[in-house]
Structures are given as structure tokens and as C-alpha cells.
Amino acid sequence: MKRQILICGASRGLGLGLVRAFLDAGWQVHAVVRELRPASPLEALNTQYPEALQVIVCDLDRLDASCTLGTALAGKRLDCALFNAGVYGPVHQDPRQAEADDIAQLFVSNAIAPIRLAQQLAEQVVDGGVIAFMSSQMASLELARAAEMPLYGASKAALNSLLRSWQAQMPQLPWSLLALHPGWVRTDMGGDAAPLSVEQSASGLRDVIIAQLGRGQCAFLDYQGQALPW
């Protein structure tokens, strides 16, 4: 039996790179996107891997998103559920200019929706599996590296806080709960000056996730498996 992974936010950039990385490792991949565009790289992968890749169209911010995903998964048990979807937020990143709707969307997409979905789908993750979230080193209050992107960093700090609260609600973790920092990656958000390619970050994150199978711990790790301070 192939290992199964759900990757939410898989249409482009790092999410698409993670789909490729896990397909290359022989996993069955369930890739979730808001919309599947014709002639997109993900559609090409779906044609290339018709048996190993399932594309699921779903708005992850919707309250009923878990119902859509649950129906599409059709009872399959997951070795990993990976929540990568997120948004940058207002371009200005200035709390003095922030509109309520923009901040609400930022925190729903980057913190509330991923945790909500993970908790709703947790029973479909096998014991010893992994539930992982794409965080950022900017979420670390100790490192304090969000000066240039304070709103984005705050949303990722909220994600990490919700993750730790979820951990505290359970006497023992049946799976690993991970907040992951992908490094500075050449994506639309990371820009051309970033030192890491999508392939380098995605393959590193894949190896970190695989190494966490069976560990049952809560950790904040980068793409090389190094622990980061919360």
C-alpha cells in the first residue's frame, strides 16, 4: 500500500513542489486547490500520474471545506495531512493602514482555516502519522524576524499558537504535529533573490516529514530538520 498524503494549497510554488516531491517518493498524493486551471502545471502532473495523484477543488476557508475533502478522500487513511495554503496579506504590511477585511482574511487563511481543517480531518490520519503546517521563522517570537512583514508574521505566530494549544488539549499525541519553516524560497512571495529553489525546499520538507513518522511529537522545524524556538 502506498503512503497517502493530503497537500492543501498545491496549485503553484512550494505547494506544487511538494506534490512533485512526494510523487517522486512514491506516495499517493491528494492535492487540494481553490481552482484547477486548464493547462496548469498541476493538470499536467495529473495527466502524468493518473493513478498516484488526485486533484481536489475546494475553498479551504469555507466552514464546510472538511466535508468536501472528506467526500473526495472516500474514507482513505492519511499518513500525512499537510496544510500549505496561505496568503501574504496587505502589500503595505502596516498595522496603521490595515483594513478589517484584509486582516480577517489574512488570519483566517493563515491560521484559523488550517487548524480548523486539521482538527476536523484528524481522525483520518493514521496513528503514527504527521499533521503539518507551513509556518515561517517569522512566527518565532524569540527570533523576532518579522520586522519587514509584521502582519504576515503575526498570522503565522497565531498559527503556531493554535498548534500549541491543540497539543495542550491532548494528553498524548497519536501523530506528530509540525510547524514547518521552508526557508527563503524563490517563489512569488519569496522573490528572485531567495537562495533556495522550490525543489530544494520541497525535498527537504518531505524528508523532515518522513523522519517524523511514528514520533508523536509537537515540533517547530525548518526544511533541514533543525528545531526553531517558538
Side-chain angles (χ1 to χ4, degrees), residues 44-66:
L45 277 178
N46 202 20
T47 301
Q48 184 180 354
Y49 296 93
E51 301 299 324
L53 175 60
Q54 177 189 21
V55 178
I56 305 169
V57 177
C58 179
D59 182 348
L60 299 172
D61 289 350
R62 289 177 57 93
L63 285 171
D64 61 354
S66 64

Side-chain angles (χ1 to χ4, degrees), residues 122-188:
E123 290 186 359
Q124 290 190 240
V125 180
V126 300
D127 286 355
V130 170
I131 299 176
F133 302 85
M134 202 58 63
S135 185
S136 168
Q137 66 176 357
M138 286 183 277
S140 170
L141 300 184
E142 184 174 332
L143 293 177
R145 291 179 179 167
E148 300 302 316
M149 298 171 62
L151 298 178
Y152 177 81
S155 71
K156 291 299 187 178
L159 170 67
N160 282 15
S161 177
L162 289 168
L163 180 63
R164 294 298 302 272
S165 294
W166 187 13
Q167 175 202 12
Q169 293 166 9
M170 292 179 285
Q172 184 173 356
L173 288 174
W175 6 254
S176 290
L177 280 178
L178 305 180
L180 298 173
H181 168 53
W184 185 12
V185 188
R186 290 192 295 275
T187 61
D188 290 344

